[in-house]
Coordinates of all heavy atoms in Angstrom, one line a residue:
M1 N 40.1 27.2 -155.1 CA 40.4 26.9 -156.5 C 41.3 25.7 -156.6 O 42.2 25.5 -155.8 CB 41.1 28.1 -157.1 CG 41.2 28.0 -158.6 SD 41.9 29.5 -159.3 CE 43.6 29.1 -159.5
S2 N 41.1 24.8 -157.5 CA 41.9 23.6 -157.7 C 43.3 24.1 -158.2 O 43.4 25.0 -159.0 CB 41.3 22.7 -158.7 OG 42.2 21.8 -159.2
A3 N 44.3 23.3 -157.7 CA 45.7 23.6 -158.3 C 45.7 23.4 -159.8 O 46.6 23.9 -160.5 CB 46.7 22.7 -157.5
C4 N 44.8 22.5 -160.3 CA 44.9 22.2 -161.7 C 44.7 23.4 -162.6 O 45.2 23.4 -163.7 CB 43.8 21.1 -162.0 SG 44.0 19.6 -161.1
Q5 N 43.9 24.3 -162.1 CA 43.6 25.5 -163.0 C 44.8 26.4 -163.3 O 44.8 27.1 -164.2 CB 42.5 26.3 -162.4 CG 41.1 25.6 -162.4 CD 40.1 26.3 -161.6 OE1 39.9 26.0 -160.4 NE2 39.4 27.2 -162.2
S6 N 45.8 26.2 -162.4 CA 47.1 26.9 -162.7 C 48.2 26.0 -163.0 O 49.4 26.3 -162.6 CB 47.4 27.9 -161.6 OG 47.5 27.2 -160.4
C7 N 47.9 24.8 -163.5 CA 48.9 23.8 -163.7 C 48.9 23.2 -165.1 O 49.4 23.8 -166.0 CB 48.7 22.7 -162.6 SG 49.9 21.3 -162.8
G8 N 48.2 22.1 -165.3 CA 48.2 21.5 -166.6 C 49.3 20.5 -166.9 O 49.5 20.0 -168.0
A9 N 50.2 20.3 -165.9 CA 51.4 19.5 -166.1 C 51.1 18.1 -166.6 O 51.8 17.5 -167.4 CB 52.2 19.4 -164.8
C10 N 50.0 17.5 -166.0 CA 49.7 16.1 -166.5 C 49.3 16.0 -167.9 O 49.4 15.0 -168.6 CB 48.7 15.4 -165.5 SG 47.2 16.4 -165.3
C11 N 48.7 17.1 -168.4 CA 48.3 17.1 -169.8 C 49.4 17.4 -170.8 O 49.3 17.4 -172.0 CB 47.2 18.2 -170.0 SG 45.9 18.2 -168.7
A12 N 50.6 17.6 -170.2 CA 51.8 17.8 -171.0 C 52.9 16.9 -170.5 O 54.1 17.3 -170.4 CB 52.2 19.3 -170.8
N13 N 52.6 15.7 -170.1 CA 53.6 14.8 -169.5 C 53.4 13.3 -169.8 O 54.3 12.6 -169.8 CB 53.5 14.9 -168.0 CG 54.8 14.5 -167.4 OD1 55.8 15.1 -167.5 ND2 54.8 13.3 -166.7
F14 N 52.1 12.9 -170.1 CA 51.8 11.5 -170.3 C 51.1 11.2 -171.6 O 50.4 12.1 -172.1 CB 50.9 11.0 -169.2 CG 51.4 11.2 -167.8 CD1 50.8 12.1 -167.0 CD2 52.5 10.4 -167.3 CE1 51.3 12.3 -165.7 CE2 53.0 10.6 -166.1 CZ 52.4 11.6 -165.2
R15 N 51.4 10.0 -172.2 CA 50.5 9.6 -173.3 C 49.1 9.3 -172.7 O 49.0 8.7 -171.6 CB 51.0 8.3 -173.9 CG 52.2 8.5 -174.8 CD 52.6 7.2 -175.4 NE 53.8 7.3 -176.1 CZ 54.6 6.3 -176.5 NH1 54.3 5.1 -176.2 NH2 55.7 6.6 -177.2
V16 N 48.1 9.8 -173.4 CA 46.7 9.6 -172.9 C 46.0 8.7 -173.9 O 45.5 9.1 -174.9 CB 46.0 11.0 -172.8 CG1 44.6 10.7 -172.3 CG2 46.8 11.9 -171.8
D17 N 46.0 7.4 -173.6 CA 45.5 6.3 -174.4 C 44.2 5.8 -173.8 O 44.1 5.7 -172.6 CB 46.4 5.2 -174.5 CG 47.6 5.5 -175.4 OD1 47.7 6.6 -175.9 OD2 48.5 4.6 -175.6
F18 N 43.2 5.5 -174.6 CA 42.0 5.0 -174.1 C 41.3 4.2 -175.2 O 41.7 4.2 -176.4 CB 41.1 6.1 -173.6 CG 40.9 7.2 -174.6 CD1 39.8 7.3 -175.4 CD2 41.9 8.2 -174.7 CE1 39.7 8.3 -176.3 CE2 41.7 9.3 -175.6 CZ 40.6 9.3 -176.4
S19 N 40.2 3.5 -174.8 CA 39.4 2.7 -175.8 C 38.7 3.5 -176.8 O 38.2 4.6 -176.6 CB 38.4 1.9 -175.0 OG 37.4 1.4 -175.9
I20 N 38.7 3.0 -178.1 CA 38.0 3.7 -179.1 C 36.6 3.9 -178.8 O 35.9 4.8 -179.4 CB 38.2 3.1 -180.5 CG1 37.7 1.6 -180.5 CG2 39.7 3.1 -181.0 CD1 37.4 1.1 -181.9
Y21 N 36.0 3.1 -177.9 CA 34.6 3.2 -177.6 C 34.2 4.4 -176.8 O 33.1 4.7 -176.6 CB 34.1 1.9 -177.0 CG 34.2 0.7 -177.9 CD1 35.2 -0.3 -177.8 CD2 33.4 0.7 -179.1 CE1 35.3 -1.3 -178.7 CE2 33.6 -0.4 -180.0 CZ 34.5 -1.3 -179.8 OH 34.7 -2.3 -180.7
E22 N 35.3 5.1 -176.4 CA 35.0 6.4 -175.7 C 34.8 7.6 -176.8 O 34.4 8.7 -176.4 CB 36.1 6.8 -174.8 CG 36.2 5.8 -173.6 CD 37.1 6.3 -172.5 OE1 37.1 7.5 -172.2 OE2 37.9 5.5 -172.0
L23 N 35.1 7.3 -178.0 CA 35.0 8.3 -179.1 C 33.6 8.6 -179.4 O 32.7 7.7 -179.4 CB 35.8 7.9 -180.3 CG 37.3 7.7 -180.2 CD1 37.8 7.1 -181.5 CD2 37.9 9.0 -179.9
D24 N 33.3 9.9 -179.8 CA 32.0 10.3 -180.1 C 31.5 9.5 -181.4 O 30.3 9.3 -181.5 CB 31.9 11.8 -180.4 CG 32.9 12.4 -181.4 OD1 33.7 11.6 -181.9 OD2 32.9 13.6 -181.6
T25 N 32.4 9.1 -182.2 CA 32.0 8.4 -183.4 C 31.7 6.9 -183.1 O 31.2 6.2 -184.0 CB 33.2 8.4 -184.4 OG1 34.4 8.0 -183.8 CG2 33.4 9.7 -185.0
E26 N 32.0 6.5 -181.9 CA 31.8 5.1 -181.5 C 30.7 5.0 -180.4 O 30.7 4.0 -179.7 CB 33.1 4.4 -181.0 CG 34.2 4.4 -182.1 CD 33.9 3.5 -183.2 OE1 33.2 2.5 -183.0 OE2 34.4 3.7 -184.3
G27 N 30.0 6.0 -180.2 CA 28.9 6.0 -179.1 C 29.4 6.6 -177.8 O 28.6 6.7 -176.9
G28 N 30.6 7.1 -177.8 CA 31.1 7.8 -176.5 C 31.0 9.3 -176.6 O 30.2 9.8 -177.4
Q29 N 31.9 10.0 -176.0 CA 31.8 11.4 -175.9 C 33.0 12.2 -176.3 O 33.0 13.4 -176.6 CB 31.5 11.8 -174.4 CG 30.1 11.5 -173.9 CD 29.8 12.2 -172.7 OE1 30.5 12.2 -171.7 NE2 28.7 12.9 -172.7
V30 N 34.2 11.5 -176.4 CA 35.4 12.2 -176.7 C 35.5 12.7 -178.1 O 35.3 11.8 -179.0 CB 36.7 11.3 -176.4 CG1 37.9 12.1 -176.6 CG2 36.6 10.8 -174.9
P31 N 35.7 14.0 -178.4 CA 35.7 14.4 -179.8 C 36.8 13.7 -180.6 O 38.0 13.9 -180.3 CB 35.9 15.9 -179.7 CG 35.5 16.3 -178.3 CD 35.8 15.1 -177.5
S32 N 36.4 13.0 -181.6 CA 37.4 12.1 -182.3 C 38.5 13.0 -183.1 O 39.6 12.5 -183.3 CB 36.7 11.2 -183.2 OG 35.9 11.9 -184.1
G33 N 38.1 14.2 -183.4 CA 39.0 15.1 -184.2 C 40.2 15.4 -183.4 O 41.2 15.9 -184.0
L34 N 40.2 15.3 -182.1 CA 41.3 15.6 -181.2 C 42.2 14.4 -180.9 O 43.0 14.4 -180.0 CB 40.9 16.3 -179.9 CG 40.4 17.7 -180.1 CD1 39.7 18.2 -178.9 CD2 41.6 18.6 -180.5
T35 N 41.9 13.3 -181.5 CA 42.6 12.0 -181.2 C 43.3 11.4 -182.4 O 43.0 11.8 -183.5 CB 41.6 11.0 -180.7 OG1 40.7 10.6 -181.7 CG2 40.7 11.5 -179.5
V36 N 44.2 10.5 -182.1 CA 44.8 9.7 -183.2 C 44.6 8.3 -182.9 O 44.5 7.9 -181.7 CB 46.3 10.1 -183.3 CG1 46.5 11.5 -183.9 CG2 47.0 9.9 -182.0
E37 N 44.6 7.5 -184.0 CA 44.4 6.0 -183.8 C 45.7 5.4 -183.4 O 46.8 5.8 -183.9 CB 43.9 5.4 -185.1 CG 43.5 3.9 -184.9 CD 43.0 3.3 -186.2 OE1 42.4 4.1 -187.0 OE2 43.2 2.1 -186.4
V38 N 45.7 4.5 -182.4 CA 46.9 3.8 -182.0 C 46.9 2.4 -182.7 O 47.8 1.9 -183.3 CB 47.1 3.7 -180.5 CG1 48.3 2.8 -180.1 CG2 47.2 5.0 -179.9
N39 N 45.8 1.7 -182.5 CA 45.5 0.4 -183.2 C 44.0 0.3 -183.2 O 43.3 1.2 -182.9 CB 46.2 -0.7 -182.5 CG 45.8 -0.9 -181.0 OD1 44.6 -0.8 -180.7 ND2 46.7 -1.2 -180.1
G40 N 43.5 -0.9 -183.6 CA 42.1 -1.1 -183.8 C 41.2 -0.8 -182.6 O 40.1 -0.5 -182.7
N41 N 41.8 -1.0 -181.4 CA 41.0 -0.8 -180.2 C 41.3 0.4 -179.4 O 40.6 0.8 -178.5 CB 41.3 -2.0 -179.2 CG 41.0 -3.3 -179.9 OD1 39.9 -3.5 -180.5 ND2 41.9 -4.3 -179.8
T42 N 42.5 1.0 -179.6 CA 43.0 2.1 -178.8 C 43.2 3.4 -179.6 O 43.7 3.3 -180.7 CB 44.3 1.6 -178.1 OG1 44.1 0.4 -177.5 CG2 44.8 2.7 -177.1
C43 N 42.9 4.5 -179.0 CA 43.3 5.8 -179.6 C 43.9 6.6 -178.5 O 44.0 6.3 -177.3 CB 42.0 6.5 -180.1 SG 40.8 6.7 -179.0
R44 N 44.4 7.8 -178.9 CA 45.3 8.6 -178.1 C 44.9 10.1 -178.3 O 44.6 10.5 -179.4 CB 46.7 8.4 -178.5 CG 47.8 9.1 -177.8 CD 49.1 8.7 -178.2 NE 49.4 7.3 -177.7 CZ 50.3 6.5 -178.2 NH1 51.1 6.9 -179.2 NH2 50.5 5.3 -177.7
M45 N 45.0 10.8 -177.2 CA 44.8 12.3 -177.3 C 45.9 12.8 -178.2 O 47.1 12.6 -177.9 CB 44.7 13.0 -176.0 CG 43.5 12.8 -175.2 SD 41.9 13.1 -176.0 CE 42.0 14.8 -176.5
R46 N 45.5 13.6 -179.2 CA 46.5 14.1 -180.1 C 47.5 15.0 -179.4 O 47.0 15.8 -178.5 CB 45.8 15.0 -181.2 CG 46.6 15.4 -182.3 CD 45.8 16.3 -183.3 NE 44.8 15.5 -184.0 CZ 45.0 14.7 -185.1 NH1 46.2 14.6 -185.6 NH2 44.0 14.0 -185.6
G47 N 48.7 14.9 -179.7 CA 49.7 15.8 -179.0 C 50.4 15.1 -177.8 O 51.5 15.6 -177.4
T48 N 49.8 14.0 -177.3 CA 50.4 13.4 -176.1 C 51.5 12.4 -176.4 O 52.1 11.9 -175.5 CB 49.3 12.8 -175.2 OG1 48.7 11.7 -175.9 CG2 48.3 13.8 -174.8
D49 N 51.8 12.3 -177.7 CA 53.0 11.5 -178.1 C 54.0 12.3 -178.9 O 54.8 11.8 -179.6 CB 52.6 10.2 -178.8 CG 51.8 10.4 -180.0 OD1 51.6 11.6 -180.4 OD2 51.5 9.4 -180.7
H50 N 53.8 13.6 -178.8 CA 54.7 14.5 -179.5 C 55.8 14.9 -178.4 O 55.7 14.7 -177.3 CB 54.0 15.8 -179.9 CG 53.1 15.6 -181.1 ND1 52.4 16.6 -181.7 CD2 52.7 14.5 -181.7 CE1 51.6 16.1 -182.6 NE2 51.8 14.8 -182.6
V51 N 56.9 15.5 -178.9 CA 57.9 16.1 -178.0 C 58.0 17.6 -178.4 O 58.3 17.9 -179.6 CB 59.2 15.4 -178.2 CG1 60.3 16.1 -177.3 CG2 59.1 14.0 -177.8
P52 N 57.8 18.6 -177.5 CA 57.3 18.3 -176.2 C 55.8 17.9 -176.2 O 55.1 18.2 -177.1 CB 57.4 19.7 -175.5 CG 57.3 20.7 -176.7 CD 57.9 20.0 -177.9
I53 N 55.5 17.1 -175.1 CA 54.1 16.6 -175.0 C 53.2 17.8 -174.7 O 53.5 18.6 -173.8 CB 54.1 15.5 -173.9 CG1 55.0 14.4 -174.2 CG2 52.7 15.1 -173.6 CD1 55.2 13.4 -173.0
R54 N 52.1 17.8 -175.4 CA 51.0 18.7 -175.0 C 49.7 18.3 -175.6 O 49.6 18.2 -176.9 CB 51.3 20.2 -175.4 CG 50.2 21.1 -174.9 CD 50.5 22.6 -175.2 NE 49.4 23.4 -175.0 CZ 49.3 24.4 -174.1 NH1 50.3 24.8 -173.4 NH2 48.1 25.1 -174.0
C55 N 48.8 17.9 -174.8 CA 47.5 17.5 -175.3 C 46.9 18.6 -176.2 O 46.9 19.8 -175.8 CB 46.6 17.1 -174.2 SG 44.9 16.6 -174.8
A56 N 46.3 18.2 -177.3 CA 45.7 19.2 -178.2 C 44.5 19.9 -177.6 O 44.1 21.0 -178.1 CB 45.3 18.5 -179.5
A57 N 43.9 19.3 -176.6 CA 42.8 19.9 -175.9 C 43.1 20.9 -174.8 O 42.3 21.6 -174.3 CB 41.8 18.8 -175.3
L58 N 44.4 21.0 -174.5 CA 44.8 21.9 -173.4 C 44.9 23.3 -173.9 O 45.5 23.6 -174.9 CB 46.2 21.5 -172.9 CG 46.7 22.2 -171.6 CD1 45.8 21.9 -170.4 CD2 48.1 21.9 -171.3
T59 N 44.2 24.2 -173.2 CA 44.2 25.6 -173.5 C 45.0 26.4 -172.5 O 45.1 25.9 -171.3 CB 42.8 26.2 -173.6 OG1 42.1 26.0 -172.4 CG2 42.0 25.5 -174.7
G60 N 45.4 27.6 -172.8 CA 46.1 28.4 -171.8 C 47.6 28.2 -171.7 O 48.2 27.5 -172.6
Q61 N 48.2 28.7 -170.7 CA 49.6 28.6 -170.5 C 49.9 27.7 -169.3 O 49.5 28.0 -168.2 CB 50.2 30.0 -170.3 CG 51.7 30.0 -170.3 CD 52.3 31.4 -170.1 OE1 51.6 32.4 -170.1 NE2 53.6 31.5 -170.1
L62 N 50.7 26.7 -169.6 CA 51.1 25.7 -168.5 C 51.7 26.4 -167.3 O 52.6 27.3 -167.5 CB 52.0 24.7 -169.2 CG 52.0 23.3 -168.5 CD1 51.9 22.3 -169.6 CD2 53.2 23.1 -167.7
G63 N 51.3 26.0 -166.2 CA 51.8 26.6 -164.9 C 51.3 27.9 -164.5 O 51.6 28.5 -163.5
T64 N 50.4 28.5 -165.4 CA 49.9 29.8 -165.1 C 48.4 29.8 -165.0 O 47.8 30.0 -164.0 CB 50.3 30.8 -166.2 OG1 51.7 30.8 -166.2 CG2 49.8 32.2 -165.9
R65 N 47.8 29.5 -166.2 CA 46.3 29.4 -166.2 C 46.0 28.5 -167.4 O 46.3 28.8 -168.5 CB 45.7 30.8 -166.4 CG 44.2 30.7 -166.5 CD 43.5 31.7 -165.5 NE 42.1 31.4 -165.4 CZ 41.6 30.8 -164.3 NH1 42.4 30.5 -163.3 NH2 40.3 30.6 -164.2
V66 N 45.3 27.4 -167.1 CA 45.0 26.4 -168.2 C 43.6 25.9 -168.1 O 42.9 26.1 -167.0 CB 45.9 25.1 -168.1 CG1 47.4 25.5 -168.4 CG2 45.8 24.5 -166.7
G67 N 43.2 25.3 -169.1 CA 41.8 24.6 -169.1 C 41.9 23.5 -170.1 O 42.7 23.4 -171.0
C68 N 40.9 22.6 -169.9 CA 40.7 21.5 -170.8 C 39.6 21.9 -171.7 O 38.5 22.1 -171.3 CB 40.4 20.2 -170.1 SG 40.0 18.8 -171.2
G69 N 39.9 22.0 -173.0 CA 38.9 22.4 -174.0 C 37.7 21.4 -174.1 O 36.7 21.7 -174.7
I70 N 37.9 20.2 -173.6 CA 36.8 19.1 -173.7 C 36.5 18.6 -172.4 O 36.3 17.4 -172.2 CB 37.2 18.0 -174.7 CG1 38.6 17.4 -174.3 CG2 37.3 18.6 -176.1 CD1 38.8 16.0 -175.0
Y71 N 36.6 19.4 -171.3 CA 36.5 18.9 -169.9 C 35.3 18.0 -169.7 O 35.5 16.9 -169.1 CB 36.4 20.1 -169.0 CG 36.5 19.7 -167.6 CD1 37.8 19.5 -167.0 CD2 35.4 19.6 -166.7 CE1 37.9 19.1 -165.7 CE2 35.5 19.2 -165.4 CZ 36.8 18.9 -164.9 OH 36.9 18.5 -163.6
E72 N 34.2 18.3 -170.2 CA 33.0 17.5 -170.0 C 33.1 16.2 -170.7 O 32.4 15.2 -170.4 CB 31.7 18.2 -170.4 CG 31.3 19.3 -169.5 CD 30.2 20.1 -170.1 OE1 29.2 19.5 -170.5 OE2 30.4 21.3 -170.2
W73 N 33.9 16.2 -171.8 CA 33.9 15.0 -172.7 C 35.3 14.3 -172.7 O 35.6 13.5 -173.5 CB 33.6 15.4 -174.1 CG 32.3 16.2 -174.2 CD1 31.1 15.6 -174.0 CD2 32.1 17.6 -174.4 NE1 30.1 16.6 -174.1 CE2 30.7 17.8 -174.3 CE3 33.0 18.6 -174.6 CZ2 30.2 19.1 -174.5 CZ3 32.5 19.9 -174.8 CH2 31.1 20.1 -174.7
R74 N 36.1 14.7 -171.7 CA 37.5 14.1 -171.6 C 37.5 12.6 -171.4 O 36.5 12.1 -170.8 CB 38.3 14.9 -170.6 CG 37.9 14.6 -169.1 CD 38.5 15.7 -168.2 NE 38.3 15.4 -166.8 CZ 37.2 15.5 -166.1 NH1 36.0 15.7 -166.7 NH2 37.2 15.2 -164.8
P75 N 38.5 11.9 -171.8 CA 38.5 10.5 -171.7 C 38.8 10.0 -170.3 O 39.2 10.8 -169.4 CB 39.7 10.1 -172.7 CG 40.6 11.2 -172.7 CD 39.7 12.4 -172.6
S76 N 38.6 8.7 -170.1 CA 38.7 8.1 -168.7 C 40.0 8.3 -168.0 O 40.0 8.6 -166.8 CB 38.3 6.6 -168.7 OG 39.0 5.9 -169.7
P77 N 41.2 8.2 -168.7 CA 42.4 8.4 -168.0 C 42.5 9.8 -167.3 O 43.1 10.0 -166.3 CB 43.5 8.3 -169.1 CG 42.9 7.6 -170.2 CD 41.4 7.9 -170.2
C78 N 41.9 10.8 -168.0 CA 41.9 12.2 -167.4 C 40.9 12.3 -166.3 O 41.2 12.9 -165.3 CB 41.5 13.2 -168.5 SG 42.5 13.0 -170.0
R79 N 39.8 11.6 -166.4 CA 38.8 11.6 -165.3 C 39.4 10.9 -164.0 O 39.0 11.2 -162.9 CB 37.5 10.8 -165.7 CG 36.8 11.5 -166.8 CD 35.6 10.8 -167.3 NE 34.9 11.4 -168.4 CZ 34.1 12.5 -168.3 NH1 33.8 12.9 -167.1 NH2 33.6 13.1 -169.3
E80 N 40.2 9.9 -164.3 CA 40.7 9.1 -163.2 C 42.0 9.6 -162.6 O 42.5 9.1 -161.5 CB 40.9 7.6 -163.6 CG 39.6 6.9 -163.9 CD 39.7 5.7 -164.9 OE1 40.9 5.3 -165.1 OE2 38.7 5.2 -165.3
F81 N 42.6 10.6 -163.2 CA 43.9 11.1 -162.7 C 43.7 11.9 -161.5 O 42.8 12.9 -161.5 CB 44.5 12.0 -163.8 CG 46.0 12.2 -163.6 CD1 46.9 11.3 -164.0 CD2 46.4 13.3 -162.9 CE1 48.3 11.5 -163.8 CE2 47.8 13.5 -162.7 CZ 48.7 12.6 -163.1
D82 N 44.4 11.6 -160.4 CA 44.2 12.3 -159.1 C 45.1 13.4 -158.9 O 46.3 13.2 -158.9 CB 44.3 11.3 -158.0 CG 43.1 10.4 -157.8 OD1 42.0 10.8 -158.2 OD2 43.3 9.2 -157.4
E83 N 44.5 14.6 -158.6 CA 45.3 15.7 -158.2 C 46.0 15.3 -156.8 O 45.3 14.8 -155.9 CB 44.4 16.9 -158.0 CG 45.0 18.2 -157.5 CD 44.0 19.3 -157.3 OE1 42.8 19.1 -157.6 OE2 44.4 20.3 -156.7
G84 N 47.2 15.6 -156.7 CA 47.9 15.3 -155.5 C 48.5 13.8 -155.4 O 49.2 13.5 -154.4
S85 N 48.3 13.1 -156.5 CA 48.9 11.7 -156.5 C 50.4 11.8 -156.8 O 50.9 12.8 -157.2 CB 48.2 10.9 -157.6 OG 48.4 11.5 -158.9
D86 N 51.0 10.6 -156.7 CA 52.5 10.6 -157.0 C 52.7 11.0 -158.5 O 53.6 11.7 -158.8 CB 53.0 9.2 -156.8 CG 53.1 8.8 -155.3 OD1 53.0 9.8 -154.5 OD2 53.4 7.7 -155.0
A87 N 51.8 10.5 -159.4 CA 52.0 10.8 -160.8 C 51.8 12.3 -161.0 O 52.5 12.9 -161.9 CB 51.0 10.0 -161.6
C88 N 50.8 12.9 -160.3 CA 50.6 14.4 -160.4 C 51.9 15.1 -159.9 O 52.4 16.0 -160.6 CB 49.4 14.7 -159.5 SG 49.3 16.5 -159.1
D89 N 52.4 14.7 -158.8 CA 53.6 15.4 -158.3 C 54.8 15.2 -159.3 O 55.6 16.1 -159.5 CB 54.0 14.8 -156.9 CG 53.1 15.3 -155.8 OD1 52.3 16.2 -156.1 OD2 53.2 14.7 -154.7
R90 N 54.9 14.0 -159.9 CA 56.0 13.8 -160.9 C 55.8 14.7 -162.1 O 56.8 15.3 -162.6 CB 56.0 12.3 -161.4 CG 56.7 11.4 -160.5 CD 57.1 10.1 -161.2 NE 56.1 9.5 -162.0 CZ 55.1 8.7 -161.5 NH1 55.2 8.3 -160.3 NH2 54.2 8.1 -162.3
A91 N 54.6 14.8 -162.6 CA 54.3 15.6 -163.7 C 54.6 17.1 -163.4 O 55.3 17.8 -164.2 CB 52.9 15.5 -164.2
R92 N 54.2 17.5 -162.2 CA 54.5 18.9 -161.8 C 56.0 19.2 -161.7 O 56.5 20.2 -162.1 CB 53.8 19.2 -160.5 CG 52.2 19.3 -160.7 CD 51.5 19.5 -159.4 NE 52.0 20.7 -158.6 CZ 51.5 21.9 -158.8 NH1 50.5 22.2 -159.6 NH2 52.0 22.9 -158.1
A93 N 56.7 18.2 -161.1 CA 58.1 18.4 -160.9 C 58.8 18.5 -162.3 O 59.8 19.4 -162.4 CB 58.7 17.2 -160.1
R94 N 58.4 17.8 -163.3 CA 59.0 17.9 -164.6 C 58.8 19.2 -165.2 O 59.5 19.6 -166.1 CB 58.5 16.8 -165.5 CG 59.1 15.4 -165.1 CD 58.9 14.4 -166.2 NE 59.1 13.1 -165.7 CZ 58.3 12.1 -165.6 NH1 57.1 12.2 -166.2 NH2 58.6 10.9 -165.1
H95 N 57.8 19.9 -164.7 CA 57.5 21.3 -165.3 C 57.9 22.4 -164.3 O 57.5 23.5 -164.4 CB 56.1 21.4 -165.7 CG 55.8 20.6 -166.9 ND1 56.0 21.1 -168.2 CD2 55.3 19.3 -167.1 CE1 55.7 20.1 -169.1 NE2 55.2 19.1 -168.4
G96 N 58.7 22.0 -163.3 CA 59.3 22.9 -162.3 C 58.3 23.4 -161.3 O 58.4 24.5 -160.7
L97 N 57.2 22.7 -161.1 CA 56.1 23.1 -160.1 C 56.2 22.2 -158.9 O 56.5 21.0 -158.9 CB 54.8 22.9 -160.7 CG 54.5 23.8 -162.0 CD1 53.3 23.3 -162.8 CD2 54.3 25.2 -161.6
P98 N 56.0 22.8 -157.7 CA 56.1 22.1 -156.4 C 54.9 21.1 -156.3 O 53.9 21.3 -156.9 CB 56.0 23.2 -155.4 CG 55.2 24.2 -156.0 CD 55.6 24.2 -157.5
P99 N 55.0 20.1 -155.4 CA 53.9 19.2 -155.1 C 52.7 19.9 -154.7 O 52.8 20.9 -154.0 CB 54.5 18.3 -154.0 CG 55.9 18.4 -154.0 CD 56.2 19.8 -154.6
V100 N 51.5 19.4 -155.0 CA 50.3 20.1 -154.6 C 50.2 20.2 -153.1 O 49.7 21.2 -152.6 CB 49.1 19.3 -155.2 CG1 47.8 19.8 -154.6 CG2 49.0 19.4 -156.7
A101 N 50.7 19.2 -152.4 CA 50.6 19.2 -150.9 C 51.3 20.4 -150.3 O 51.0 20.8 -149.2 CB 51.0 17.9 -150.4
G102 N 52.3 20.9 -151.0 CA 53.1 22.0 -150.5 C 52.5 23.3 -150.8 O 53.0 24.3 -150.3
L103 N 51.4 23.4 -151.6 CA 50.8 24.6 -151.9 C 50.0 25.1 -150.8 O 49.4 24.4 -150.0 CB 49.9 24.5 -153.1 CG 50.6 24.0 -154.4 CD1 49.6 23.9 -155.5 CD2 51.7 25.0 -154.8
Q104 N 49.9 26.4 -150.6 CA 48.9 27.0 -149.6 C 47.5 26.9 -150.2 O 47.3 27.2 -151.3 CB 49.3 28.5 -149.4 CG 50.5 28.6 -148.5 CD 50.6 30.0 -147.9 OE1 50.2 31.0 -148.5 NE2 51.2 30.1 -146.7
V105 N 46.6 26.5 -149.3 CA 45.2 26.4 -149.7 C 44.5 27.7 -149.4 O 44.8 28.3 -148.3 CB 44.6 25.2 -149.0 CG1 43.1 25.1 -149.4 CG2 45.3 23.9 -149.3
G106 N 43.6 28.1 -150.2 CA 42.8 29.3 -149.8 C 42.7 30.3 -150.9 O 43.0 30.2 -152.0
Ligands
SF4_1 S1 49.5 17.6 -162.6 FE1 48.2 17.5 -160.8 S2 47.7 19.6 -160.2 FE2 48.5 19.6 -162.3 S3 46.7 19.6 -163.6 FE3 47.4 17.5 -163.4 S4 46.2 16.7 -161.6 FE4 46.1 19.0 -161.6
SF4_2 S1 41.8 15.8 -172.6 FE1 41.9 17.5 -171.2 S2 42.3 16.7 -169.2 FE2 42.9 15.1 -170.8 S3 45.1 15.4 -171.2 FE3 43.9 16.6 -172.7 S4 43.7 18.7 -171.8 FE4 44.3 17.3 -170.2

């Protein structure tokens, strides 16, 4: 099982900005109702610029069991975010979770 399923820290730590052309209304796949406009070219996952940060698409309880409500249609920054990367470890640390590399696999 991926550490992500019991984490969600990155979805509650960073602004998630991407091109408006990823929106379903612009020929892409990301549900536009879960986003806010930043400027003419860029939009953002709703909730990722709030305090505390939490993406509107994140379901479940952070650090216990989570899911992305739009997993198949999530924007490129989410697709490109690497489990076990430095950014992942930073996000986890901010939510009191140990680095992925320190977890027992199995
Ligand atoms: S912070 Fe890392 S382990 Fe947690 S959900 Fe994001 S990619 Fe997965
Ligand atoms: S769209 Fe999904 S993967 Fe991306 S930040 Fe939101 S909950 Fe996380």
Side-chain angles (χ1 to χ4, degrees):
M1 188 176 101
S2 163
C4 300
Q5 290 170 269
S6 56
C7 179
C10 54
C11 312
N13 201 73
F14 303 109
R15 282 185 187 161
V16 179
D17 289 1
F18 52 95
S19 163
I20 59 163
Y21 295 108
E22 294 192 44
L23 294 176
D24 55 0
T25 50
E26 301 288 333
Q29 291 196 304
V30 182
S32 54
L34 286 170
T35 68
V36 290
E37 187 179 332
V38 176
N39 60 43
N41 301 315
T42 308
C43 57
R44 179 173 292 161
M45 288 309 299
R46 189 180 296 278
T48 64
D49 58 1
H50 292 185
V51 179
I53 299 169
R54 183 175 169 122
C55 177
L58 186 68
T59 60
Q61 189 176 356
L62 208 133
T64 304
R65 179 133 194 101
V66 293
C68 172
I70 57 164
Y71 189 79
E72 287 170 55
W73 308 290
R74 70 200 188 287
S76 53
C78 307
R79 295 178 184 277
E80 290 159 10
F81 197 86
D82 283 331
E83 181 183 350
S85 64
D86 288 349
C88 163
D89 286 347
R90 277 204 309 278
R92 288 175 58 87
R94 286 195 194 122
H95 289 279
L97 299 164
V100 170
L103 299 177
Q104 283 198 328
V105 180

